[in-house]
Amino acid sequence: MAIRTDDGEHLGLLFPDGGDGRALPDDLPPGSLVWPDPEYDRLRTHRRPSFWLSDSPVPASLWSRLRAEHPRSGLWPVLLEDSVQPWSAGQIAPEPVSEIDNYGAGAFMAEVWRDLLAGGVADLAPYGEECPGLAEPGGLVADPDVVADWYARIVAGRRTPLGLAAVDRGADVLAVMGWQGAVHHNEWSVPLAAVVRSWEERFGVRVIGMGFNTLDLSVAAPPATPEHALHVAAEHWTFCPDSILQGPGTLADYAEQIQGKNAWSFWWD
């Protein structure tokens, strides 16, 4: 059964097929569907709402329940940090999820590495001008869903509203929801979604929360050695240069911060 939102619309509108065959939740808190403002919908191709947004902050238990229901509902939950804007105002730029398949995480990393060298001031030792490519997968230390629920409890403690997006996997919310948090680094979100897809597969990552210019991911298979963490840090440099430039300043120091950690948080200036 599709829930009717405050404005009388159905969650099924989030799906191209109206949500046929989906077990859509019917006990959500008050909320409404968010349509992109035409001023922000750069592609002018999104003819349905981008996501559902709760009116008020939600408990972590709701996030975990909806995460567990995702295989049946097709809706991935995201805790939306900062203020309810730009979400409620529709200041979002959705992109077709099909475009994500056109990007590879390794190719994106190599291209951005070259571009960043022209203006970056971070200490990239031992790699320097040589992009090391993608790091090897990590070893699972716990079930990715268990780690995701753990981190959701932390993020939900910041009192955030909830978003629900119709996607097959969590990484795709970056494109479907029209998130623009990294727009000053990369104009389009689909390449970043491709990287997060790769992290889902290699590091057991799950998308937990997004803010105006932040992204919070749980990590069930983090790098366990200094060498592996350094290689992963190189990926983070191309994904979010401010992690290093506005942080420790060196790749090696940043690697120490992420070694063995079950959460990655990014912030773009």
Side-chain angles (χ1 to χ4, degrees):
M1 176 181 178
I3 188 172
R4 187 175 293 277
T5 62
D6 290 351
D7 51 11
E9 297 176 314
H10 285 277
L11 283 180
L13 289 176
L14 295 171
F15 299 87
D17 62 0
D20 282 352
R22 298 286 186 179
L24 301 179
D26 59 3
D27 55 352
L28 294 175
S32 57
L33 298 176
V34 177
W35 296 75
D37 186 319
E39 292 296 320
Y40 290 83
D41 190 6
R42 295 170 291 184
L43 300 181
R44 301 292 195 274
T45 58
H46 212 72
R47 293 182 171 83
R48 60 181 184 275
S50 296
F51 58 95
W52 174 88
L53 174 69
S54 70
D55 291 343
S56 303
V58 301
S61 58
L62 177 59
W63 188 95
S64 297
R65 177 170 67 79
L66 293 169
R67 188 270 312 151
E69 293 175 359
H70 172 254
R72 300 182 298 280
S73 72
L75 297 170
W76 185 262
V78 187
L79 295 167
L80 300 175
E81 298 183 72
D82 300 322
S83 78
V84 75
Q85 281 192 325
W87 319 113
S88 62
Q91 296 173 0
I92 51 178
E95 299 168 38
V97 71
S98 59
E99 288 292 317
I100 303 174
D101 292 328
N102 295 329
Y103 292 86
F108 173 79
M109 181 182 182
E111 179 180 354
V112 176
W113 191 280
R114 291 192 300 269
D115 292 343
L116 288 174
L117 285 176
V121 294
D123 180 351
L124 302 178
Y127 303 117
E129 295 185 3
E130 288 296 321
C131 175
L134 299 182
E136 290 295 314
L140 284 174
V141 297
D143 184 287
D145 291 337
V146 172
V147 179
D149 290 347
W150 160 78
Y151 194 39
R153 288 194 293 273
I154 295 175
V155 176
R158 304 167 193 166
R159 301 285 295 164
T160 70
L162 176 79
L164 283 175
V167 292
D168 291 335
R169 53 196 298 177
D172 296 355
V173 300
L174 276 66
V176 170
M177 292 181 65
W179 175 75
Q180 299 182 82
V183 70
H184 292 151
H185 169 50
N186 196 284
E187 182 180 2
W188 305 103
S189 61
V190 286
L192 300 179
V195 173
V196 177
R197 278 185 176 185
S198 180
W199 288 346
E200 286 177 338
E201 295 161 0
R202 289 182 292 135
F203 303 109
V205 157
R206 298 292 182 267
V207 174
I208 307 299
M210 297 192 303
F212 174 74
N213 60 351
T214 61
L215 180 67
D216 285 310
L217 310 174
S218 63
V219 188
T225 67
E227 295 77 18
H228 195 197
L230 191 62
H231 201 160
V232 174
E235 292 193 39
H236 286 199
W237 155 247
T238 58
F239 184 78
C240 179
D242 292 317
S243 295
I244 288 87
L245 292 174
Q246 303 290 344
T250 74
L251 214 58
D253 287 342
Y254 178 78
E256 289 185 11
Q257 295 180 2
I258 64 171
Q259 181 179 336
K261 296 297 173 34
N262 292 114
W264 294 343
S265 291
F266 300 96
W267 169 78
W268 288 263
D269 195 356

